[in-house]
Amino acid sequence: MEIFGYSFDVENIQEMILQYGTKLLIGLLILVVGLWIVSTMVKGFKRVLMARNVDPTLVPFLVSLIATTLKVLLVISVITYMGVNMTSFIAVLGAAGLAIGMALSGTLQNFAGGVILLILRPFKVGDFIEAQGYMGVVKEIQIFNTILTTPDNKTVIIPNGGLSTGAMTNFSSQATRRVDFTFGIGYGDDIDKARDIIKEVISRNEKILKDPEAFIGVVEHGDSSVNLVTRVWANAADYWDVYFFMMEFVKKEFDKQGVSIPFPQRDVHIIKED
């Protein structure tokens, strides 16, 4: 057969189509079946980790790592089956890998950051942290990112690279936390009376720990108030309950017992000229 001046052997063409077409179809079948097997294996691996009570911090990272590794091995197996020379392929892949590595340097940094976070363990799933300008509960530590849920139920995704090298505050690492307040009273009010009222409010709340003992003292003579600092201790999980309780009921008791809470005021004098 001759097309555009070129001669083709029909039998050879049919043989090539049959040979490579069959390999291509089988290769695609292996890929599809392989992806299904990988998905099943990953799900089973995750169930095993959960059944053995593996630290929830490690589970998403290990599952993602295993899934990615198995998929890469599957693709290499399919390429090898289809007759691609792996020596040449690896050489090309190595050259391309250098360029891709430079382009994805940030991604690789995030991967390294994820490994560092899992080794050093500055926080775990369930901890409340502040990092990179965000505060929230750690939901997952993935290969490249850490996922937080903020107090107002927003999802924040923070790259692991910056998270592993930047400053971070873990509010859940200690069992207890100190809750600090500053209550201002008027210069004409009785300091001892105000102190007794604050102590009485503290005694009402069972979430405030008896040890360490609460501290109440005059911290400042302000422009319009005498400021009393109050420091109490609570379990980390009870921090905000204690904070809101004290802010509300100290104000109510001050009002009820006639202790004033000053606020900035300005007197304006109008001078009338004749």
Side-chain angles (χ1 to χ4, degrees), residues 71-125:
K71 288 177 182 178
V72 170
L73 292 176
L74 173 63
V75 171
I76 292 175
S77 299
V78 172
I79 292 174
T80 303
Y81 170 79
M82 295 180 66
V84 177
N85 188 333
M86 288 306 298
T87 303
S88 302
F89 179 76
I90 290 174
V92 173
L93 188 62
L98 179 60
I100 294 173
M102 295 177 65
L104 300 178
S105 59
T107 302
L108 297 177
Q109 182 182 5
N110 291 333
F111 175 79
V115 174
I116 291 172
L117 291 176
L118 289 172
I119 293 175
L120 300 181
R121 305 296 294 277
F123 56 82
K124 62 182 184 297
V125 170

Side-chain angles (χ1 to χ4, degrees), residues 4 27 48 102 109 118 120 127 161 171 180 202 215 251 269:
F4 299 115
V48 170
M102 295 177 65
Q109 182 182 5
L118 289 172
L120 300 181
D127 284 356
F171 295 97
D180 294 354
I202 290 173
F215 171 82
K251 170 65 168 65
H269 300 273

